[in-house]
Amino acid sequence: GYYSHIMTVQDLDRVPNGRSTITRCTTPILILKGQWDNQSWGYTQEFDRAQRTLLKGVGHDVFDTIPQRPLALIADFLRRG
């Protein structure tokens, strides 16, 4: 957790920006985010085929809070292909 986060922040100056690569992705993507998550949508805006879903009443760890809801959304997403 914390150590990984610190190392990631320190690496930001050394890792090339991957946005140009991300914008070429044509794979459908499901992105789940809790309503009270303090993380922004960030790079998710770069994906043309992303389905962004805001889960109301939960924070960052949606699987700990309401595990059945994200699992149902993932199953539905995969069924639709």
Side-chain angles (χ1 to χ4, degrees), residues 10 47 68:
Q10 290 176 354
F47 296 104
Q68 295 308 314

Side-chain angles (χ1 to χ4, degrees), residues 31-43:
I31 302 166
L32 305 176
K33 178 180 176 346
Q35 175 185 14
W36 301 321
D37 190 341
N38 64 351
Q39 302 296 313
S40 71
W41 287 102
Y43 275 70

Side-chain angles (χ1 to χ4, degrees), residues 4-64:
S4 296
H5 174 73
I6 293 301
M7 294 311 294
T8 301
V9 170
Q10 290 176 354
D11 285 340
L12 288 176
D13 291 334
R14 297 187 300 245
V15 176
N17 187 328
R19 285 186 183 228
S20 63
T21 302
I22 287 174
T23 57
R24 294 191 303 262
C25 178
T26 59
T27 304
I29 300 169
L30 173 64
I31 302 166
L32 305 176
K33 178 180 176 346
Q35 175 185 14
W36 301 321
D37 190 341
N38 64 351
Q39 302 296 313
S40 71
W41 287 102
Y43 275 70
T44 69
Q45 304 298 326
E46 304 291 333
F47 296 104
D48 289 335
R49 298 190 63 200
Q51 175 186 325
R52 287 172 283 283
T53 302
L54 186 67
L55 299 170
K56 295 186 186 218
V58 298
H60 182 72
D61 197 347
V62 297
F63 287 98
D64 273 353

